[in-house]
Amino acid sequence: MNNIIELAKKLKIEYLENEPMSLHTSFKIGGCARLVVFPKSEEDIAALVKECNSRGIRYLVVGNGSNLLVCDDGIDACVILLGKAFSAVRLIDETTIFAEAGAQLIKICRLALENSLTGLEFAYGIPGSCGGAAFMNAGAYGGEMKDVLYKCSHIDKYGEKGFLEGDELKLSYRHSAYYDNNCIVTGLYLKLKKGDKAEIKAKMDDLLQRRKDKQPLEYPSAGSTFKRPEGYFAGALIEECGLKGFSVGGAQVSEKHAGFVINKGGATCSDVLELCSQVKQKVEKEKGVKLEMEIRVTK
């Protein structure tokens, strides 16, 4: 890991050693990462990936950390954090937006609104980064990234620049090609449509209010904890099993929306995993439905 630190110094990349990952995830949970680096460019990422490969060091990419649960023992890896240096968004033409992977989803939603572009309303209020949204094909309220995303730039597992476009992205429910290819998403290209600005704003405002009314936004969480089982809604199944408010340590099934596991205060990764395990067991026993975690767990 010292070689990565020397490279970071040489390239003037900011880094932190033994950094608590609870500071970099929306769950506010997780032990320390051996090393966190903050690259400023694709060239920085490429150099870091090549150096990690040559030294046999595992690396992990994090954006907003809004769908991530880090183990209590932390991460013995180099965490590549795409933050403010990767947050640019801009119009390419009248209906196309480019966003760097570290940009917040709300930022591209606002750019779309400013330019009377429709198609991203569903994403308004999703607390994630653009890179994470592409990685997992984020969606809500009947929309998802695959409706508007047509190309991604990336750094591949060998540290080389590349693109995936159209069907190559393999976008499906909470999945993309990036789940399997070990590439690091660096930029997104979104194709939208011209619309009525007042209607776009009204829809965004409505969806944001629905989130505030129905979701436990006042507590740290990683959003929807379980994927939607075919033909069902995870939150409804959990509620029907009488599990609203069920707790393990500081982790709790939200009393506001049973599809969310929240950090009620001082929750550990172990608390969350044990809670989710018991929820899955009870739902399968009483409803005959197997729930699958939507949250990524890493160590």
Side-chain angles (χ1 to χ4, degrees):
M1 200 69 78
N2 288 335
N3 296 98
I4 308 300
I5 293 173
E6 288 305 311
L7 176 65
K9 289 178 179 178
K10 179 181 177 181
L11 297 178
K12 298 181 179 178
I13 299 171
E14 183 184 349
Y15 69 90
L16 295 168
E17 296 183 75
N18 300 313
E19 174 72 355
M21 287 304 294
S22 58
L23 300 177
H24 302 287
T25 64
S26 60
F27 235 145
K28 307 301 182 188
I29 292 172
C32 292
R34 173 67 182 82
L35 182 68
V36 177
V37 292
F38 302 84
K40 308 176 299 298
S41 65
E42 286 187 320
E43 288 72 23
D44 285 353
I45 296 174
L48 288 164
V49 167
K50 289 176 180 177
E51 187 69 16
C52 285
N53 287 339
S54 70
R55 304 291 176 181
I57 294 171
R58 185 168 69 98
Y59 60 87
L60 174 74
V61 183
V62 174
N64 196 50
S66 57
N67 194 46
L68 188 65
L69 178 62
V70 177
C71 287
D72 300 317
D73 292 336
I75 303 173
D76 187 17
C78 175
V79 174
I80 299 173
L81 202 148
L82 304 185
K84 291 182 180 179
F86 277 86
S87 62
V89 300
R90 65 178 183 271
L91 279 179
I92 294 178
D93 58 39
E94 286 190 348
T95 58
T96 307
I97 289 177
F98 171 77
E100 291 185 322
Q104 299 297 298
L105 277 173
I106 198 166
K107 192 172 182 179
I108 57 170
C109 291
R110 286 172 175 162
L111 181 63
L113 174 60
E114 288 168 10
N115 291 276
S116 301
L117 296 175
T118 184
L120 270 173
E121 291 88 337
F122 74 89
Y124 193 61
I126 295 178
S129 65
C130 290
F135 180 87
M136 66 173 294
N137 185 29
Y141 297 112
E144 53 189 344
M145 290 300 291
K146 78 171 186 177
D147 300 333
V148 293
L149 179 65
Y150 73 90
K151 183 167 74 169
C152 285
S153 58
H154 62 246
I155 301 297
D156 69 19
K157 60 184 178 182
Y158 305 108
E160 302 297 331
K161 293 183 180 181
F163 292 89
L164 289 181
E165 190 168 358
D167 291 342
E168 294 175 332
L169 291 165
K170 297 181 181 178
L171 297 170
S172 58
Y173 179 68
R174 302 299 177 265
H175 188 270
S176 76
Y178 290 107
Y179 258 88
D180 310 309
N181 63 15
N182 294 318
C183 295
I184 299 171
V185 177
T186 56
L188 288 70
Y189 296 80
L190 309 167
K191 180 61 72 175
L192 306 176
K193 295 178 180 179
K194 280 291 185 181
D196 182 87
K197 190 172 185 177
E199 290 180 4
I200 295 167
K201 185 178 187 304
K203 187 171 182 180
M204 284 184 173
D205 289 345
D206 174 58
L207 293 183
L208 184 61
Q209 190 59 51
R210 287 163 68 180
R211 291 182 198 280
K212 290 178 178 178
D213 291 342
K214 297 180 180 180
Q215 298 178 9
L217 304 182
E218 64 273 26
Y219 291 102
S221 77
S224 296
T225 306
F226 300 98
K227 293 181 179 180
R228 185 179 67 242
E230 190 171 350
Y232 299 91
F233 290 99
L237 291 171
I238 295 166
E239 183 173 355
E240 288 166 11
C241 289
L243 291 170
K244 262 191 172 182
F246 175 62
S247 299
V248 172
Q252 182 187 64
V253 175
S254 169
E255 295 175 339
K256 195 172 186 180
H257 189 313
F260 287 66
V261 170
I262 61 171
N263 180 354
K264 192 71 180 290
T268 64
C269 177
S270 297
D271 291 342
V272 174
L273 293 179
E274 177 60 26
L275 175 63
C276 290
S277 175
Q278 292 191 39
V279 167
K280 289 165 68 177
Q281 289 175 26
K282 187 160 186 180
V283 169
E284 184 172 6
K285 181 179 179 181
E286 295 192 8
K287 299 294 182 178
V289 178
K290 290 186 177 182
L291 293 180
E292 182 182 352
M293 294 275 283
E294 183 171 313
I295 300 169
R296 294 176 65 212
V297 182
T298 191
K299 60 181 178 180

